[in-house]
Amino acid sequence: MSILVVAEHDNASIKGATLNAVAAAQAIGGDIAVLVAGSDCGAAANAAAAIAGVSKVLHADNAAYAHQLAENVAPLVAELAASYSHVLAPSTSNGKNIMPRVAAHLDVDQISDIIAVESADTFKRPIYAGNIIATVQSSDTVKVMTVRTTAFDGVAAEGGSASVEAVASVHDGGNSSFVGEEVAVSDRPELTSAPIVISGAIQHLAGMKDSKVIVAINKDEEAPIFQVADYGLVADLFQALPEFEATL
């Protein structure tokens, strides 16, 4: 088997999500190649070559891939996919944008947000906001998947010595262009790794699907949230939090 991982990068460096996707690829087994598609992205390609467990890096460097527009990257990935049994990408905004298009180009199903590998053709993924874990088996010749990054510990970013091969193929659909981007600034504090939630209703469970640590406070000791929380406290939220804050 051979696996292609579509790298998440900023043209200068590899993002951590790529390391998680490579870990998922290792769980499947086989030779692992990483695609770095961008513009002036040689540094990112070299960083990908150093990732532990990667045997080859495909370096597609062209202005058409500068901002990794899905309309341009997807046909490139679909073209390369002919040489691979599996194509993986992190479940990031980019991955979720590119991979459905890849699956459409290849006329195969996409398996979204995998959290575990059972075998080379069988995977687990959450459905219904994580309340049910589905086991999915694919008979497609090329299996196109996105990987929930929090479900796999990232491999080491260094220690590998993969070869870097240039990819000359250029795809520019001409039907989209990059206009700009900006970072939204919020004055609210963010709890990204350990959210404190109250009821455990389905919308709350959906909102914390990427959290590695869940802390719950609820006066009802039978509250559903305690079934998924890593830490739980049976108490009044409005009494417990001020007491907690006072001890900091």
Side-chain angles (χ1 to χ4, degrees):
M1 289 184 297
S2 54
I3 304 168
L4 179 65
V5 175
V6 181
E8 184 87 7
H9 66 92
D10 60 4
N11 289 315
S13 62
I14 293 295
K15 299 299 184 182
T18 303
L19 305 180
N20 304 107
V22 171
Q26 288 184 341
I28 296 171
D31 291 332
I32 300 171
V34 172
L35 170 64
V36 177
S39 179
D40 193 20
C41 57
N46 290 334
I51 298 174
V54 173
S55 60
K56 179 170 63 176
V57 173
L58 301 179
H59 180 203
D61 199 321
N62 190 277
Y65 307 131
H67 301 286
Q68 299 170 61
L69 298 178
E71 292 82 358
N72 296 344
V73 175
L76 170 66
V77 177
E79 177 186 325
L80 297 172
S83 301
Y84 296 91
S85 58
H86 300 72
V87 182
L88 279 62
S91 288
T92 59
S93 296
N94 276 345
K96 292 176 182 178
N97 201 6
I98 293 170
M99 298 306 275
R101 290 175 165 86
V102 173
H105 277 290
L106 298 174
D107 193 23
V108 300
D109 294 322
Q110 181 196 275
I111 303 176
S112 301
D113 223 19
I114 68 166
I115 61 172
V117 175
E118 296 292 294
S119 68
D121 66 356
T122 306
F123 313 91
K124 289 185 178 295
R125 62 176 299 265
I127 59 175
Y128 298 118
N131 286 299
I132 296 177
I133 304 301
T135 300
V136 181
Q137 187 174 42
S138 171
S139 60
D140 288 326
T141 304
V142 180
K143 295 163 182 58
V144 176
M145 298 177 286
T146 57
V147 177
R148 179 173 289 191
T149 55
T150 54
F152 296 88
D153 293 331
V155 301
E158 298 179 349
S161 57
S163 61
V164 179
E165 298 181 7
V167 175
S169 183
V170 177
H171 294 269
D172 188 350
N175 56 356
S176 64
S177 60
F178 179 80
V179 176
E181 62 184 353
E182 60 183 37
V183 178
V185 178
S186 173
D187 293 329
R188 297 178 299 172
E190 295 184 358
L191 293 173
T192 56
S193 61
I196 298 176
V197 296
I198 301 171
S199 70
I202 191 168
Q203 64 269 27
H204 294 144
L205 295 175
M208 61 189 176
K209 65 183 178 65
D210 291 326
S211 301
K212 287 195 172 182
V213 180
I214 301 172
V215 180
I217 301 175
N218 198 300
K219 290 187 291 186
D220 180 7
E221 63 181 16
E222 301 296 330
I225 186 59
F226 290 132
Q227 298 177 18
V228 297
D230 297 284
Y231 301 95
L233 175 64
V234 178
D236 186 325
L237 172 71
F238 299 102
Q239 292 180 359
L241 285 186
E243 293 174 0
F244 175 74
E245 183 179 8
T247 64
L248 296 178

